[in-house]
Amino acid sequence: HVRLVESGGGSVQTGGSLTLSCAYSGHTSNIWSMGWFRRAPGKERAGVAGIDSDGNTGYRDSVRGRFTISYDDANHILSLQMDSLKLEDSAVYYCAAGSVAGLVASAFPYWGQGTQVTVS
């Protein structure tokens, strides 16, 4: 089993920045890819950014160039640096871990509890 705990959410003004962190623990040898997803009120959960163990990254179009995903495997921390935040970035953000590439939520068996990001 893999445990994921997000932190770093909060409220920020338009154009501001936030960094989300996700501490992962447990059977981390099962993890080959990790990602950030978000769910805004009334919307489906959507992939935001993903990274695999080779360091390959992928982003949804609306955040590319503004968000940066990274991980520190030595300390088991997945991060999402979010810059130039927009109103539409407001959502609950979740980190996820799995063994396949891509940003398909159903492919990730392990999820954190989520952290709220509010842009105003």
Side-chain angles (χ1 to χ4, degrees), residues 79-110:
S79 298
L80 184 68
Q81 174 68 39
M82 305 185 295
D83 298 318
S84 302
L85 283 161
K86 303 177 180 180
L87 294 175
E88 53 264 39
D89 294 320
S90 294
V92 177
Y93 283 71
Y94 302 87
C95 71
S99 57
V100 296
L103 284 175
V104 178
S106 60
F108 287 83
Y110 307 111

Side-chain angles (χ1 to χ4, degrees), residues 44-83:
E44 297 290 320
R45 182 172 49 185
V48 175
I51 189 168
D52 65 26
S53 60
D54 294 327
N56 299 307
T57 58
Y59 299 89
R60 71 182 296 109
D61 288 344
S62 62
V63 307
R64 188 175 293 112
R66 299 188 296 120
F67 290 11
T68 304
I69 188 171
S70 62
Y71 73 93
D72 176 353
D73 201 40
N75 294 299
H76 291 182
I77 299 290
L78 175 74
S79 298
L80 184 68
Q81 174 68 39
M82 305 185 295
D83 298 318

Side-chain angles (χ1 to χ4, degrees), residues 20-32:
L20 304 182
S21 297
C22 174
Y24 52 96
S25 60
H27 291 136
T28 58
S29 60
N30 295 338
I31 298 174
W32 186 80

Side-chain angles (χ1 to χ4, degrees), residues 8-14 16-20 82 85 90-91 115-120:
S11 297
V12 64
Q13 292 187 334
T14 304
S17 298
L18 277 177
T19 301
L20 304 182
M82 305 185 295
L85 283 161
S90 294
T115 185
Q116 177 71 48
V117 171
T118 302
V119 184
S120 60

